[in-house]
Amino acid sequence: MKPITRRGLAAFAFLVAATGAGAQDIQERTIKFGHLNNPDHPTSLGVRKFAEIVAAKTGGKIKVQEFPSSQLGNELQQQSALQGGVQEMLVASTTSLNGIVKEFGLLDFPFLFANARQADAMVDGPLGKALAARLPEKGVVVLGFFDLGFRNVTNSKRPITKGSDLEGLKLRVIPNPVFLETFKTFHANPLPMPFAELYGALESKAVDGEENPFAVIASSKFYEVQKYVSGTNHVYATNPVQISKKFWDRLSPVEQKILQEAAIEAQNWQRTVSREVSSKALGELQAKGMVYNEVPPAELAKMRAAVKPVYDKFSAAYDPAIVNLFRSELDRVSKL
């Protein structure tokens, strides 16, 4: 008797699974999965992990094709394509979702979390589920939340050691009302701009700086066009893993279950990898010549107090039930 190869075992495992579920419940499909980051970024690694898991669970019948680096358009363009059913999947910031369900802006409030455990508990808990539940009627289904990390300010002018150091700086921000108001609080000049245009704007000095997690700054080689990186940790960025509702509705229950399980497995793996990469990225930025500084805790406390009007302004425009849930959840996770 010939020994069973690894490929043979995988095929046998799929045959058993398909027989139990009904092979007809898994069709040959290709999923276009877009995002904004470069292929060496943890977002890309997470998409590839998702593709690997889906292929294993479907015996290769469902293929996930990655489109990194804004190949399918900027964030808002991809979001629109997702809603229209032209693009099957997207992982990106909560920014574009703010325009669909404005309460997603709560996740962009500044200085919410002291660590990643708190952020995970918030999006994995009742608030994340309540926000996600409002999206299907808008054409979007959220399968999970990838980690992007804490955002930090870089610029070509000076270190940011306190809120007043931001005054007068032209900073690119994601096209997000909460971000705009946050930086206006410190008398910066925030300029919304698609991510794909950012490197050129920094290089030409059209903007003085920007704000992103360390891994994004390193992957995008912003150290070539920026001198200072400051540990402001002003916003924790989570990236919802989204699938088009039009595409989702064409899937069988078996296929839906496979994609949902694969998304959570990939999410948990990606979060670990992303945080490992982030811790190494800061060292890489310094090795490339960037000057790093931390913001003293007392100054961070002053900055947190200064942005309270941002909380009040946007909370007043959101559904009171969601705002109340947000406040109770923030109290819960702050103890983690």
Side-chain angles (χ1 to χ4, degrees):
M1 182 176 175
K2 291 183 179 179
I4 300 175
T5 64
R6 184 178 297 176
R7 181 175 293 177
L9 283 171
F12 176 73
F14 169 67
L15 180 62
V16 171
T19 302
Q24 71 277 8
D25 290 333
I26 302 175
Q27 304 296 320
E28 296 276 354
R29 301 183 187 276
T30 299
I31 294 173
K32 296 191 295 293
F33 197 152
H35 63 89
L36 311 185
N37 297 104
N38 292 335
D40 63 346
H41 187 271
T43 295
S44 181
L45 302 181
V47 171
R48 279 180 267 160
K49 174 59 73 172
F50 173 77
E52 176 188 309
I53 296 168
V54 169
K57 287 179 179 287
T58 65
K61 294 185 79 172
I62 299 181
K63 297 177 176 62
V64 178
Q65 186 177 5
E66 179 193 17
F67 291 86
S69 308
S70 304
Q71 288 177 13
L72 298 179
N74 65 38
E75 190 166 356
L76 295 176
Q77 290 167 333
Q78 292 194 54
Q79 188 72 67
S80 178
L82 195 82
Q83 288 178 275
V86 176
Q87 179 174 327
E88 288 79 24
M89 292 190 70
L90 167 68
V91 59
S93 74
T94 51
T95 296
S96 50
L97 292 179
N98 293 352
I100 303 171
V101 173
K102 61 186 178 182
E103 286 78 11
F104 266 92
L106 290 164
L107 298 178
D108 294 322
F109 278 9
F111 303 109
L112 289 180
F113 308 118
N115 56 61
R117 290 191 308 279
Q118 295 177 0
D120 288 349
M122 182 69 98
V123 297
D124 293 343
L127 180 72
K129 290 179 171 60
L131 292 173
R134 297 189 170 204
L135 286 171
E137 66 181 42
K138 307 291 188 180
V140 177
V141 175
V142 167
L143 301 181
F145 294 87
F146 278 4
D147 171 82
L148 193 65
F150 283 96
R151 304 181 76 94
N152 298 281
V153 173
T154 73
N155 78 99
S156 57
K157 299 282 190 181
R158 55 182 174 268
I160 306 303
T161 61
K162 55 187 180 299
S164 60
D165 288 334
L166 290 164
E167 185 170 351
L169 288 181
K170 290 181 292 183
L171 291 179
R172 178 269 177 183
V173 298
I174 54 180
N176 179 316
V178 175
F179 277 62
L180 288 167
E181 287 296 323
T182 295
F183 283 98
K184 284 179 181 176
T185 298
F186 299 109
H187 304 290
N189 184 11
L191 302 170
M193 179 186 299
F195 182 73
E197 300 174 14
L198 177 53
Y199 185 96
L202 294 171
E203 186 175 35
S204 68
K205 298 292 194 293
V207 293
D208 299 316
E210 56 83 54
E211 44 82 49
N212 261 303
F214 294 137
V216 174
I217 297 166
S219 174
S220 303
K221 299 184 178 179
F222 291 155
Y223 52 78
E224 295 177 344
V225 287
Q226 296 277 269
K227 179 67 175 176
Y228 302 100
V229 55
S230 303
T232 51
N233 288 330
H234 53 276
V235 169
Y236 171 80
T238 184
N239 276 7
V241 179
Q242 307 169 48
I243 190 165
S244 167
K245 179 68 159 51
K246 288 187 177 181
F247 176 68
W248 182 254
D249 288 344
R250 295 200 298 269
L251 301 175
S252 69
V254 171
E255 291 170 325
Q256 289 180 349
K257 184 172 185 290
I258 286 170
L259 294 186
Q260 178 62 83
E261 289 176 349
I264 296 301
E265 286 182 43
Q267 163 199 280
N268 295 339
W269 180 88
Q270 189 272 347
R271 286 175 177 177
T272 299
V273 170
S274 181
R275 286 155 193 169
E276 290 172 353
V277 170
S278 179
S279 65
K280 295 175 184 174
L282 177 57
E284 180 185 342
L285 295 176
Q286 291 174 290
K288 294 291 186 179
M290 293 195 82
V291 177
Y292 172 71
N293 71 280
E294 294 184 354
V295 181
E299 293 300 332
L300 281 176
K302 291 177 185 176
M303 293 175 76
R304 189 178 298 111
V307 296
K308 187 179 181 299
V310 176
Y311 284 51
D312 297 340
K313 175 179 178 176
F314 287 96
S315 294
Y318 295 158
D319 180 343
I322 293 291
V323 173
N324 288 337
L325 176 60
F326 165 75
R327 287 173 176 157
S328 64
E329 280 295 282
L330 191 59
D331 184 60
R332 176 181 70 87
V333 305
S334 68
K335 299 178 176 66
L336 298 178

